[in-house]
Amino acid sequence: MAAPSNKMWPRKNATKTGHEDVMVPVEKEDLTLDPDTAHPELEISADGKEVKCGSCKKNVSCSPRQFDTANCVVARQSFSSGRHYWEVFVGQKPRWNLGVVSERAERQGRLIQKTSGSGEVCAEGYWLIGYDKEKPRKPYWAFHTNQMPFECSPHPETIGVYLDYTAGEVTFYNPEDPDNLIPLYSFYNAAFKNAPVKAAFEDAPIYPFFDPCWHDNGVNAQPLKIL
């Protein structure tokens, strides 16, 4: 694993924005996980930097802020303006999902559901990428309601997440070479202010999102680590 960098330089994609590429330094965020939002089966480290699926479900009172079905957690920190960046070590985990979620998004019930066909849909207000080693040919998927497979080679052990709230952009990177960040997938024109719609023109905070997925009898027991 490459040493985590303190800064990153997200490239604006000229074909998407109509502007020339611009290198803009962004300080890496110091995130910690919020145990009050975690699914009862998740185990969070004392420093709030690691999360994994445990083997037993804790008895806790479930609030609307807490995930009750999906094995997920969000960070204590949220953003409603500006540009932000963080990194997560996924290692060789065979399954995981990462990204951002609107404060207004539903956290109760299943996060990703299968459709009547062979596809899957994600709840509104989430912008995620995920990896599932068992998916044939296309193990990498992006989710903003509908699923979208994308190519990713080589397999990254660290994922960088860049959020530009004002521009409505979420871009995921392979940051293992700090001098040559590789973009993996981008969401553009994300409706952070009104997704899901509850109050027009009102800023909705966005939270970093972490889903280590189920432990699969120990096969996927490795934690996600915020760097």
Side-chain angles (χ1 to χ4, degrees):
M1 178 179 64
S5 57
N6 291 326
K7 291 185 178 181
M8 62 85 66
W9 293 263
R11 281 190 180 273
K12 299 296 184 184
N13 189 318
T15 61
K16 293 287 186 181
T17 66
H19 301 293
E20 295 181 356
D21 286 356
V22 179
M23 303 295 270
V24 183
V26 179
E27 293 287 346
K28 191 171 66 175
E29 301 290 342
D30 182 16
L31 301 181
T32 53
L33 300 166
D34 184 352
D36 290 339
T37 69
H39 182 277
E41 205 156 326
L42 291 182
E43 297 178 358
I44 296 174
S45 62
D47 64 0
K49 295 290 187 179
E50 299 184 19
V51 59
K52 65 180 180 179
C53 180
S55 57
C56 61
K57 193 171 185 177
K58 298 182 288 293
N59 292 321
V60 296
S61 57
C62 195
S63 75
R65 296 181 60 243
Q66 184 181 27
F67 294 92
D68 67 341
T69 303
N71 214 29
C72 311
V73 63
V74 299
R76 292 182 183 274
Q77 297 74 18
S78 66
F79 309 110
S80 54
S81 64
R83 295 174 292 114
H84 309 273
Y85 177 76
W86 58 93
E87 293 177 352
V88 184
F89 181 67
V90 299
Q92 295 298 315
K93 280 179 66 66
R95 289 201 299 142
W96 50 263
N97 297 299
L98 293 171
V100 301
V101 56
S102 170
E103 182 180 59
R104 298 194 188 113
E106 181 61 59
R107 298 183 186 180
Q108 307 293 294
R110 292 182 61 85
L111 172 60
I112 298 173
Q113 299 186 15
K114 294 188 179 298
T115 63
S116 55
S118 58
E120 295 176 324
V121 294
C122 184
E124 291 186 29
Y126 292 80
W127 293 266
L128 313 176
I129 65 168
Y131 175 74
D132 186 343
K133 186 177 180 180
E134 297 303 314
K135 284 186 180 290
R137 299 182 300 280
K138 299 285 187 180
Y140 288 93
W141 294 81
F143 288 95
H144 171 44
T145 63
N146 294 327
Q147 62 178 349
M148 296 157 281
F150 65 93
E151 300 294 334
C152 182
S153 181
H155 176 76
E157 292 197 341
T158 299
I159 302 293
V161 186
Y162 169 69
L163 167 68
D164 186 333
Y165 187 97
T166 303
E169 176 187 347
V170 185
T171 295
F172 300 87
Y173 287 91
N174 178 346
E176 293 181 11
D177 179 355
D179 296 322
N180 183 31
L181 298 181
I182 301 172
L184 304 177
Y185 192 90
S186 293
F187 295 101
Y188 294 97
N189 302 315
F192 296 144
K193 290 179 181 291
N194 57 1
V197 176
K198 287 188 179 178
F201 308 112
E202 178 183 325
D203 289 351
I206 295 297
Y207 288 84
F209 168 94
F210 308 85
D211 178 6
C213 298
W214 301 106
H215 57 67
D216 297 337
N217 294 319
V219 175
N220 191 36
Q222 308 93 319
L224 295 174
K225 302 178 183 180
I226 301 173
L227 300 179

